[in-house]
């Protein structure tokens, strides 16, 4: 009987030890997460330069808690499908523009209309908190912004007035359609990789894009005129995480990621401002012509970009527009 008691006692100890090992292992597994990420642009794209900095910093400073594995861009998951992949936890992080998933929450298009700095947006009760809550409603955590570069329209012929833009076919993406239509232009959806050929064959006579990139891809070979009136200077390209994955992280890890991001954003802006300054020098070297209209027409052109978006938001989310205008400094 004593031997049986000893046997039961030792069996109990073994079981407790095994249970503790399993708990410790599962706990360790829970703490160490591999997070798959995709971007709407290729990893080697000049506009993605600072994503590398953010990913490396998070991986270095979060220790064994998480590891971000940035798989690539649209060749992995097409840009317009990345938000759905994030919602379904196929990937855990995306670097994507709000225009690509705005059908899920149209109010997110207000990002481009912000007249505030990113730091101002992060003030308590500001645009960051508001947009964070709107993202939570669609299963996403809004972490921060990874790009700063204003948008321009470029054309393949000189134009003297806004009237000259009417009927011009423009390569577009989801962001500029309404603005182009308001100017009387004809937006044409062209895949990123087909843009050079479309310009070369005159299937489109211009395009909308940020400052950096088009020169590197040869798009300016057949498009030497830039309307030098920047618009949507507050980029709509965000760092987003699957909300359930975010909620599953330790509070200390969440705090670390946000701290990294808040410090990263002004560095990111400074990096791109320096790059843009150098890019304009290269534009001058290759003979890119800058177009401006009369002061009155310049104002009309600039305001049209914002009016087009506010009109769309008024149709889609009228109840939210007063808050959106206040929060974006309009």
């Amino acid at each position: 009987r004593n031997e049986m008691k000893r046997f039961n006692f030792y069996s109990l100890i073994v079981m407790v030890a095994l249970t503790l090992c399993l708990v410790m292992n599962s706990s360790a597994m829970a703490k160490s997460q591999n997070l798959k990420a995709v971007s709407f642009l290729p990893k080697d794209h000049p506009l993605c330069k600072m994503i590398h900095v953010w990913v490396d910093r998070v991986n270095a400073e979060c220790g064994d808690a998480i590891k971000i594995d940035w798989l690539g861009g649209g060749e992995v998951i097409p840009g317009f499908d990345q938000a759905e992949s994030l919602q379904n936890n196929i990937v855990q992080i995306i670097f994507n523009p709000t225009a690509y998933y705005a059908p899920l929450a149209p109010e997110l298009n207000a990002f481009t209309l912000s007249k505030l700095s990113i730091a101002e947006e992060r003030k308590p009760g500001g645009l960051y908190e508001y947009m964070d809550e709107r993202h939570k409603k669609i299963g996403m955590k809004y972490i921060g912004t990874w790009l700063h570069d204003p948008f321009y329209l470029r054309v393949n012929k000189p134009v003297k007035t806004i009237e000259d833009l009417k009927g011009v076919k423009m390569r577009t993406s989801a962001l500029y359609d309404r603005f182009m239509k308001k100017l009387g232009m004809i937006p044409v959806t062209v895949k990123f990789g087909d843009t050079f050929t479309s310009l070369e064959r005159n299937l489109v006579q211009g395009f909308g894009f940020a400052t950096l990139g088009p020169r590197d891809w040869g798009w300016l070979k057949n498009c030497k005129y830039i309307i030098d009136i920047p618009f949507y200077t507050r980029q709509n390209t965000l760092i987003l995480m699957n909300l359930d994955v975010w909620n599953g992280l330790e509070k200390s890890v969440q705090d670390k990621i946000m701290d990294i991001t808040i410090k990263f954003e002004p560095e990111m802006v400074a990096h791109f401002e320096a790059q843009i300054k150098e890019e304009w020098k290269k534009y001058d070297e290759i003979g890119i012509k800058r177009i401006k209209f009369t002061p009155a027409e310049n104002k009309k052109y600039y305001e049209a970009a914002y009016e087009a978006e506010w009109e769309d938001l008024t149709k889609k989310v009228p109840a939210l527009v007063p808050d959106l205008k206040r929060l974006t400094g309009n």
Side-chain angles (χ1 to χ4, degrees):
R1 189 172 290 179
N2 287 338
E3 286 178 4
M4 183 62 73
K5 284 182 180 177
R6 277 198 297 271
F7 176 77
N8 289 338
F9 176 71
Y10 289 125
S11 295
L12 184 62
I13 289 174
V14 169
M15 284 175 68
V16 169
L18 283 170
T19 302
L20 281 171
C21 284
L22 286 168
V23 168
M24 289 171 69
N25 283 339
S26 64
S27 176
M29 285 171 68
K31 286 181 182 176
S32 181
Q33 288 195 55
N34 187 60
L35 305 182
K36 297 190 289 294
V38 288
S39 50
F40 85 106
L41 294 171
K43 282 180 77 170
D44 61 355
H45 193 293
L47 293 179
C48 291
K49 181 90 173 181
M50 292 303 285
I51 295 179
H52 292 273
V53 174
W54 184 84
V55 168
D56 291 346
R57 206 167 284 179
V58 170
N59 283 342
E61 295 188 31
C62 288
D64 295 328
I66 59 168
K67 180 184 183 300
I68 298 171
D69 183 11
W70 182 10
L71 303 175
E75 75 284 358
V76 179
I77 297 172
F80 283 96
D81 298 333
Q82 290 178 3
E84 186 180 355
S85 296
L86 184 72
Q87 288 177 313
N88 293 330
N89 204 21
I90 294 165
V91 293
Q92 289 72 52
I93 296 174
I94 61 172
F95 306 100
N96 205 259
T98 57
Y100 278 29
Y101 61 95
L104 299 171
E107 64 271 22
L108 302 181
N109 274 333
F111 266 107
T112 54
L113 305 174
S114 176
K115 304 288 180 69
L116 307 177
S117 69
I118 296 173
E120 287 172 327
E121 290 175 5
R122 282 190 175 274
K123 288 180 179 177
L127 185 65
Y128 176 85
E129 287 183 8
Y130 181 89
M131 288 301 194
D132 188 28
E133 289 304 314
R134 305 312 292 189
H135 276 91
K136 285 176 183 176
K137 291 178 185 297
I138 56 172
M140 302 179 189
K141 169 64 182 175
Y142 163 37
I143 295 174
T145 302
W146 56 269
L147 176 59
H148 171 81
D149 192 359
F151 293 94
Y152 294 87
L153 298 186
R154 299 84 170 337
V155 288
N156 66 0
K157 63 180 182 180
V159 289
K160 293 183 178 177
T161 67
I162 291 177
E163 189 70 21
D164 294 339
L165 298 173
K166 288 186 175 176
V168 177
K169 289 183 180 177
M170 297 286 285
R171 184 266 176 185
T172 187
S173 63
L175 181 63
Y176 332 95
D177 286 10
R178 288 176 285 274
F179 175 37
M180 288 175 176
K181 286 176 182 173
K182 197 166 182 67
L183 296 175
M185 303 176 112
I186 302 169
V188 181
T189 301
V190 177
K191 287 182 183 176
F192 180 85
D194 296 336
T195 305
F196 177 85
T197 306
S198 296
L199 288 163
E200 196 168 48
R201 294 178 181 172
N202 202 37
L203 299 173
V204 293
Q205 291 86 52
F207 63 92
F209 208 83
T211 319
L212 302 169
R215 181 182 57 81
D216 295 318
W217 313 315
W219 292 8
L220 305 186
K221 179 186 171 188
N222 298 290
C223 216
K224 298 267 184 199
Y225 298 88
I226 183 167
I227 300 172
D228 189 13
I229 306 167
F231 57 94
Y232 305 157
T233 50
R234 198 293 188 213
Q235 271 276 355
N236 63 339
T237 44
L238 307 182
I239 305 168
L240 303 166
M241 188 181 289
N242 174 281
L243 185 60
D244 289 339
V245 172
W246 172 264
N247 289 337
L249 296 176
E250 297 270 347
K251 176 72 165 54
S252 59
V253 178
Q254 293 178 346
D255 291 346
K256 175 61 73 176
I257 291 170
M258 292 311 302
D259 183 57
I260 289 167
T261 306
I262 289 165
K263 290 174 181 171
F264 159 84
E265 285 174 332
E267 293 174 37
M268 174 272 296
V269 170
H271 164 83
F272 282 113
E273 284 179 344
Q275 291 289 106
I276 290 164
K277 192 175 178 182
E278 289 303 309
E279 190 68 7
W280 277 102
K281 289 179 186 175
K282 289 169 183 172
Y283 280 4
D284 292 337
E285 287 169 13
I286 64 173
I288 299 301
K289 306 288 192 298
R290 306 186 192 200
I291 293 172
K292 278 198 191 304
F293 309 118
T294 64
E297 284 228 307
N298 290 343
K299 184 173 183 286
K300 183 180 176 183
Y301 174 96
Y302 176 79
E303 288 179 351
Y306 292 83
E307 286 167 4
E309 290 305 302
W310 284 121
E311 286 165 8
D312 185 65
L313 288 167
T314 300
K315 287 177 195 167
K316 291 175 178 171
V317 286
L320 303 182
V321 167
D323 277 341
L324 290 171
K325 285 194 171 183
R326 176 178 57 81
L327 293 166
T328 55
N330 281 275

